[in-house]
Amino acid sequence: MVVRQVTPDLADPAFWRLAPEQRLAAYRILRGLGAPARSSDGSYVLARHRDVVEASRRPDVFLSGPGVTTPRPPAWVRTVFGDSMVNMDDPRHARLRGVVSRAFTPRVLARISADVDRIARGIVADVVAERPTEFVAAVATRMPFEVICTMMGVPDAYRRELLAEIGRATEGTTVRRGLRVPGRGLRALARMHCVIARVARERRREPTDDLISALAAADLTGRELGAFFSLLMVAGVETTRNAVAHGLHLLSENPDQRALLAGDAARYAPGFVDEVVRHSSPIVQFRRTLARDHELGGRLLPAGADVVLCYASANRDESVFADPDRFDLTRHPNPHVGFGGGGPHFCLGTALARQEMTALFRELLTRLPDLRSVGEPVLVPSSFDNRVGRLSFTY
């Protein structure tokens, strides 16, 4: 009797409700096919590391402009709220990226390193004083949120309001047969845009040494400024928050790796950050659209077709990573695609995320040496991000 192997369908909402181990097994099947598999919605899945990297580095063929999330937002949403950089192609993308990249230069990041360390110390001090038991809200969310607000120059008076809106904008929403769609909380995004517009008006009158002042002076339109702010606050906070939460759980489950990091943070922190991002893949996948016919993996992909860059699969590709399911902060080399596979859409905030995670875990492991997660993280089913909803912890 011959048993026919069923090709996993990433367009089926039921796939994203599978246990993580079942999804990893499905990715192995997809990688084993060689050629990109076609899903029930007509899109093609790029599951192999080499294919994700090629698509990332060929923006002339694999377009972002039609939209990178699944499903795409309606045209009126983009008209009202403006295009995010992730949904742009050159020359628009190059122009805006050139402006905002000034906020992420090595010189700027070196200047804010003291702020990052101060914020990490404050968060851990609050944990010691208040003894919370849920890690995501008490620690993982606060770190990137406070850092980005400080960089942007968001006054303290607006921060509590913004934090609440971020939660509403990124919380799970059941639409289109149950798939969670990022950015669906349009009212929350609108309120966030109003806050940043208010601060930008203040900075135009009285500029300070912060990112909002720099962007306002660069003649970004109100919609461009609002779209970038939403991207930075929602994507920047959510991805780093998830990486931090997964990081604690991975260290708790792998005491030998935890001992390495706690014993010599300066040596092992860079590898720790990369391995957490590879192993957890905070962003699961992005969409691209074919500008023209293109052959990939021995299969001709037609112009106009959608392709899905499955980072979560590429980061477990056994042809690139030895023993890919093992968490190993000494892994070298580690060419993961957790920050993107290269090309013009490589994450601008990569160095900042490394800085945040390094400072936070150094402080956590120093002041709370018995810190560990309790039980399994509560994951939010999503086809977009590997989101941790809750994570109990003790110390």
Side-chain angles (χ1 to χ4, degrees), residues 113-325:
S113 63
D115 289 325
V116 174
D117 291 342
R118 173 183 56 79
I119 290 167
R121 288 194 299 271
I123 290 171
V124 177
D126 287 345
V127 169
V128 172
E130 299 168 11
R131 301 195 66 79
T133 58
E134 200 287 299
F135 188 74
V136 175
V139 178
T141 301
R142 282 189 59 191
M143 185 69 195
F145 176 75
E146 293 293 342
V147 169
I148 290 174
C149 281
T150 299
M151 283 184 64
M152 292 288 289
V154 176
D156 290 344
Y158 297 128
R159 295 191 183 187
R160 179 172 294 183
E161 176 185 357
L162 280 173
L163 185 58
E165 300 301 352
I166 290 171
R168 296 185 186 105
T170 60
E171 65 187 2
T173 306
T174 52
V175 294
R176 194 176 176 182
R177 299 184 298 157
L179 286 182
R180 176 178 178 269
V181 181
R184 184 66 175 177
L186 299 181
R187 291 182 181 178
L189 290 176
R191 288 189 287 263
M192 288 169 62
H193 281 214
C194 288
V195 171
I196 195 62
R198 197 183 318 154
V199 178
R201 287 194 295 270
E202 296 172 2
R203 293 296 187 271
R204 287 190 177 100
R205 290 193 301 267
E206 298 181 22
T208 58
D209 185 22
D210 57 43
L211 183 52
I212 293 180
S213 297
L215 295 177
D219 293 327
L220 264 65
T221 67
R223 287 197 306 135
E224 286 177 330
L225 186 58
F228 171 69
F229 181 73
S230 298
L231 174 66
L232 191 61
M233 294 301 289
V234 175
V237 170
E238 185 161 0
T239 54
T240 305
R241 171 186 66 194
N242 292 334
V244 168
H246 283 292
L248 175 62
H249 187 64
L250 285 167
L251 290 178
S252 302
E253 294 291 295
N254 296 273
D256 58 326
Q257 301 299 299
R258 176 199 176 98
L260 289 176
L261 183 62
D264 193 344
R267 177 180 179 184
Y268 291 109
F272 163 70
V273 173
D274 276 321
E275 185 66 347
V276 168
V277 172
R278 182 197 71 84
H279 199 278
S280 65
S281 294
I283 297 297
V284 174
Q285 62 182 21
F286 266 160
R287 177 196 296 263
R288 297 287 189 267
T289 303
L290 270 295
R292 56 179 180 271
D293 291 353
H294 185 75
E295 185 175 330
L296 190 65
R299 184 166 193 170
L300 182 64
L301 307 181
D306 289 331
V307 297
V308 173
L309 280 61
C310 191
Y311 304 119
S313 174
N315 281 336
R316 300 295 181 105
D317 192 331
E318 46 282 298
S319 71
V320 176
F321 305 100
D323 197 3
D325 295 333

